[in-house]
Each structure stands twice: as C-alpha cells, then as structure tokens.
Amino acid sequence: MLVVENLRVVYANGAEALKSISLKAERGEIIAIIGRSGAGKSTLLRCINGLQQPTEGEIILDGENITRMNGAQLRRARRHIGFIWQEYNLVERLSAMSNVLTGRLGYASPVSSFFGYFNAQHRAVALQNLERVGLLHRATNRADKLSGGEKQRVAIARAISQEPKILLADEPVASLDPELSVQVMTDLARVAREVGVLTLINIHHVELAQQFADRIIGIAQGKVVFDGAPADLTEGVMDRIYRFNSPVAAQPLAAH
Ligand SMILES: Nc1ncnc2c1ncn2[C@@H]1O[C@H](COP(=O)(O)OP(=O)(O)OP(=O)(O)O)[C@@H](O)[C@H]1O
Ligand SMILES: [Mg+2]
C-alpha cells in the first residue's frame, strides 16, 4: 500500500513543483496521472522513487517511510520500486536478456552478479518476463538493435523482474507512435494486472489513461484536482485539470 501525505517540493531555484499532494493506493491498482506540462507529475514519481527529496510531507510504501531513509536504506528500498522511463534507459550494448536480468540485482549475490552471472532461478524469471511481453525471440538481441516498442517492452520486463512493490512509469509511450503506444500500454497494463502490482503511470494521452487505468488522478499546479474513475472524467473535470496556464506559458515574454 502507498500513502502520500501533504507532499511539497520546492526546487533549489524556488519553483514550487508540488504544493500539497495526498493520495492512497492499494496493491493491484493501475492509476494514470494526468495534467498539463509542468503540473508536477514527474516530480511526484521521482519523490516516490526516492530520486527527489521532498521539502515537506511523507511517502509510506508498505509501511516503510521513503522520505526518512538514509542513503543505504533508500538504495535497498529502490530495488523494490520498478521504474519505466520515457527513453527506456536500457544498457544499449547488452542483450535484451541481460537488461532484464539487471532487474534481478536486488536478489542475486553481489559477487556473481558483478561478473554477469545469474543463476538458473534468476534466468527463469527473466525469461518468463520476456515471454510475458512477447519478446522471448529477441532475448539475445542487443538492446540498441531493438525498435522503440521492443525497447520499452524490455524495460517493462526488467521492471517486473524486480518483483516490485510498486511500478512507476513516467510517460512510457511518449516516444512511440499512436499504434505502438496502444500496444505497449496493453502489454504494460496486462503484465501489471497479471502480477498484481500497484502501478502509477504519468501519461499525456487522456484516452489512453481512460482505456487502461482503473483510476485517474488529475494534477494541476502541484495539487490533486481530480481523483476518481475514468468514467467520471467529465468535461468539467477536464477543465479543472487543464485550464490553468503552465508555469512555462505563464512566463512573461520579456524573460525569453
Ligand atoms: N530539477 C528542477 N529544478 C527546478 N525546477 C524544476 C526541476 N524539475 C522540474 N522543475 C519545475 O517543476 C515543475 C513541475 O515539473 P515536472 O517535471 O514535475 O512536471 P510534469 O508534470 O512532469 O511536466 P511534463 O508533462 O512536461 O513532463 C515545473 O514548473 C518545472 O519547470
Ligand atoms: Mg514529466
């Protein structure tokens, strides 16, 4: 279970990216986070992943307070947080299989994994997850030889191989064309449901959010302005989420 309480983030330059975000989410939920550019979606995911220290507030994942951890504790916790990036973040010169195996680092013996050795059990998990995303036939292909859609599927298989408590995806299909976006979202949602992992997806496409998520959270100017079912995303709600000028758009012309 995830509990986010009164999360506030002020960046060093004074930008208040999150004002006060509170939400609760249960295992198995697939939640889409929508909002204008600059609303604070990535900042929220980076806080949950421990990459960004909040200014105020708390994040509790399965009883552990992410915001109160020291470096070593945070590194350990992050092994159980899957993250899917817009630009895949694969190790390009390694095979699809080796990339997926890096998702097992939190479970493998540090010495053997340092030498690239993962035992049969870890390899079986990695192969199963490559199969889940339909890429078993690409296991030995180098990551840099894969298409964008295939790369993102490898990233999904890698994240799932972490057996994560939570899966976070920041604009996972923003680099893909519309047809591939649907295919990759289909895979992501199917795999997340199969393993029952709580999944938070930042996504620009509202239709995709409605199609694949159980719940939608709308963020505007660092605050939650909607939290409900896809079917409740009425025009009025959309207006609330999208009507604000983004901070970038609000900058005076003289600043450019
Ligand atoms: N490292 C940073 N330093 C200073 N300000 C930042 C930093 N990262 C983000 N911001 C600012 O914080 C606000 C929220 O940014 P964030 O990236 O979380 O938005 P977003 O909703 O993910 O936007 P997008 O849809 O464009 O990805 C923006 O005003 C942005 O300019
Ligand atoms: Mg973002």
Side-chain angles (χ1 to χ4, degrees):
M1 186 188 181
L2 173 74
V3 181
V4 175
E5 258 175 23
N6 301 322
L7 200 67
R8 178 165 181 256
V9 172
V10 181
Y11 284 113
N13 65 356
E16 189 179 27
L18 299 182
K19 293 203 167 75
S20 179
I21 298 269
S22 296
L23 60 96
K24 283 196 174 100
E26 300 284 347
R27 191 184 138 73
E29 282 189 283
I30 297 184
I31 302 174
I33 300 171
I34 62 170
R36 291 184 66 129
S37 183
K41 306 179 297 294
S42 295
T43 302
L44 174 61
L45 290 202
R46 281 208 306 274
C47 287
I48 299 172
N49 194 26
L51 288 173
Q52 173 67 45
Q53 181 71 33
T55 312
E56 283 172 39
E58 302 199 294
I59 297 167
I60 296 152
L61 180 62
D62 287 356
E64 287 189 326
N65 194 329
I66 306 273
T67 43
R68 301 253 175 93
M69 289 180 175
N70 64 28
Q73 290 169 323
L74 200 53
R75 272 194 298 282
R76 225 170 301 133
R78 291 189 60 210
R79 289 174 181 168
H80 304 285
I81 300 175
F83 207 101
I84 296 170
W85 315 78
Q86 178 180 338
E87 293 298 340
Y88 327 116
N89 269 18
L90 301 180
V91 184
E92 296 278 319
R93 62 186 172 78
L94 291 183
S95 68
M97 175 70 169
S98 297
N99 270 283
V100 176
L101 278 169
T102 63
R104 300 300 298 166
L105 283 172
Y107 299 94
S109 119
V111 176
S112 7
S113 57
F114 178 80
F115 291 105
Y117 176 78
F118 290 87
N119 70 25
Q121 186 211 335
H122 295 305
R123 302 183 73 81
V125 172
L127 286 170
Q128 182 192 20
N129 288 329
L130 270 175
E131 189 172 23
R132 277 195 167 121
V133 296
L135 279 187
L136 207 46
H137 63 298
R138 293 274 184 262
T140 57
N141 287 46
R142 270 174 64 128
D144 56 5
K145 298 288 186 294
L146 300 173
S147 73
E150 288 172 336
K151 283 182 184 174
Q152 200 55 302
R153 288 192 178 88
V154 170
I156 293 169
R158 174 180 62 185
I160 290 293
S161 295
Q162 289 176 249
E163 297 176 32
K165 294 177 180 169
I166 187 170
L167 185 57
L168 307 170
D170 196 356
E171 306 288 354
V173 296
S175 301
L176 305 175
D177 68 37
E179 196 184 324
L180 262 180
S181 295
V182 173
Q183 288 173 17
V184 169
M185 281 299 292
T186 304
D187 280 335
L188 174 56
R190 193 194 60 248
V191 171
R193 284 188 212 288
E194 265 174 33
V195 300
V197 64
L198 167 60
T199 302
L200 265 53
I201 308 170
N202 282 353
I203 187 155
H204 270 113
H205 296 86
V206 177
E207 298 79 24
L208 288 180
Q210 287 178 295
Q211 192 178 343
F212 292 102
D214 314 310
R215 176 175 158 195
I216 293 184
I217 294 179
I219 297 185
Q221 295 189 320
K223 287 191 218 147
V224 174
V225 295
F226 173 76
D227 186 347
D232 295 333
L233 211 56
T234 58
E235 252 179 60
V237 170
M238 289 291 284
D239 189 47
R240 224 189 306 155
I241 300 170
Y242 288 98
R243 79 183 151 187
F244 299 99
N245 288 326
S246 71
V248 174
Q251 277 175 11
L253 282 176
H256 292 275

